[in-house]
Amino acid sequence: MATGEEKTYIYYCKYSGNHALTTNVNLATAQRRRTDHSLIIDTQGSGVVVKLYAKDGVDVVYVKRENGGTERQYRVMMDDVPIGYRTEPHGNMLYIFDDALTTYATVDAMDGEDMPPVPPCIAYDEGRGCTRVTLQVVDGGKKQAVLKISADSVCIQLKESIISNSGIDELMEYVREMLGVSLGRLGLQQGHDPREKFLHVTGMGAVEVFDRLRAHLKNE
């Protein structure tokens, strides 16, 4: 069983890119269940700290096991995506599905280092046939800038208010300049709040989009 460490690990949903779990348990070394290879966290283990940012135990699913029995699972959900479960309501044992979470440190200035992996917020959307970028907009700045790239979003600073037409125009023109594409290859979709936007880029892969946006980070 994995035990708590001094180091803190931050895990993100591999599918949505949202922050799912903060813990001092290193999942890379955690034991797995024999039944489904899920990663095991004993939330009441010695020195273990677990903070979930997901809906815990809302959905109940019955899973048939190879021995003929049925297991009741209280699912841990990120939006509509299950990332793990417990076998008892609010039980101590937390099971994380294999390959459901990823670690991704915020990209700041990394002079002299290799390029980090593409974060989940920049991903190719097969359904739309384009690269989708989750943006978080900070307006009212003195100048345009890419403030941060995290697993959740690319944070962009604008001068105009993002809730105005001039702010939308400024955002699209700034992105067009950074990516070096025409406006016709860009699309913008409203997110869950006025400052969250989903950018769609046609004709450019996720790696290239990330590379070009990263080149404009304010500290680089």
Side-chain angles (χ1 to χ4, degrees):
M1 195 71 61
T3 57
E5 303 178 5
E6 292 184 1
K7 185 175 179 179
T8 298
Y9 299 89
I10 300 175
Y11 295 95
Y12 301 88
C13 174
K14 195 169 185 179
Y15 304 96
S16 69
N18 293 326
H19 184 190
L21 172 68
T22 296
T23 181
N24 61 347
V25 173
N26 183 359
L27 293 184
T29 60
Q31 292 184 4
R32 295 176 179 269
R33 290 193 79 186
R34 293 182 180 179
T35 52
D36 59 7
H37 303 288
S38 293
L39 299 160
I40 305 171
I41 301 178
D42 182 355
T43 60
Q44 298 300 314
S46 176
V48 171
V49 176
V50 174
K51 175 63 176 178
L52 274 173
Y53 298 87
K55 294 182 292 184
D56 191 356
V58 176
D59 293 345
V60 180
V61 175
Y62 294 87
V63 178
K64 189 173 182 179
R65 292 304 187 189
E66 292 182 357
N67 61 7
T70 300
E71 179 178 88
R72 180 185 296 174
Q73 294 184 356
Y74 299 84
R75 291 288 175 88
V76 177
M77 308 286 292
M78 289 296 295
D79 296 323
D80 295 327
V81 178
I83 62 169
Y85 61 92
R86 303 177 195 266
T87 55
E88 299 177 359
H90 310 293
N92 294 345
M93 307 307 294
L94 174 63
Y95 304 99
I96 302 297
F97 287 125
D98 188 28
D99 212 28
L101 302 182
T102 183
T103 56
Y104 185 84
T106 296
V107 179
D108 295 314
M110 301 180 66
D111 294 337
E113 297 186 17
D114 294 335
M115 181 176 172
V118 178
C121 68
I122 304 174
Y124 187 74
D125 187 331
E126 293 185 359
R128 293 178 178 269
C130 64
T131 295
R132 182 182 186 222
V133 184
T134 302
L135 303 177
Q136 191 69 29
V137 180
V138 176
D139 51 24
K142 294 182 178 180
K143 63 179 182 179
Q144 298 164 341
V146 177
L147 300 180
K148 179 175 69 172
I149 301 177
S150 69
D152 294 339
S153 65
V154 177
C155 184
I156 290 181
Q157 177 177 277
L158 300 178
K159 293 183 286 186
E160 299 289 337
S161 171
I162 191 57
I163 63 174
S164 66
N165 290 334
S166 59
I168 296 294
D169 291 342
E170 181 188 1
L171 174 62
M172 295 299 284
E173 181 61 24
Y174 182 43
V175 171
R176 184 198 67 77
E177 292 177 357
M178 287 191 291
L179 297 180
V181 300
S182 66
L183 287 174
R185 290 170 57 184
L186 302 177
L188 197 66
Q189 180 183 352
Q190 178 60 51
H192 299 97
D193 63 71
R195 300 187 183 280
E196 183 183 59
K197 308 291 182 185
F198 300 119
L199 177 72
H200 301 128
V201 186
T202 59
M204 186 178 294
V207 173
E208 187 174 4
V209 170
F210 176 46
D211 193 21
R212 294 191 182 191
L213 291 175
R214 181 174 174 265
H216 289 80
L217 273 169
K218 68 173 185 175
N219 292 329
E220 295 203 345

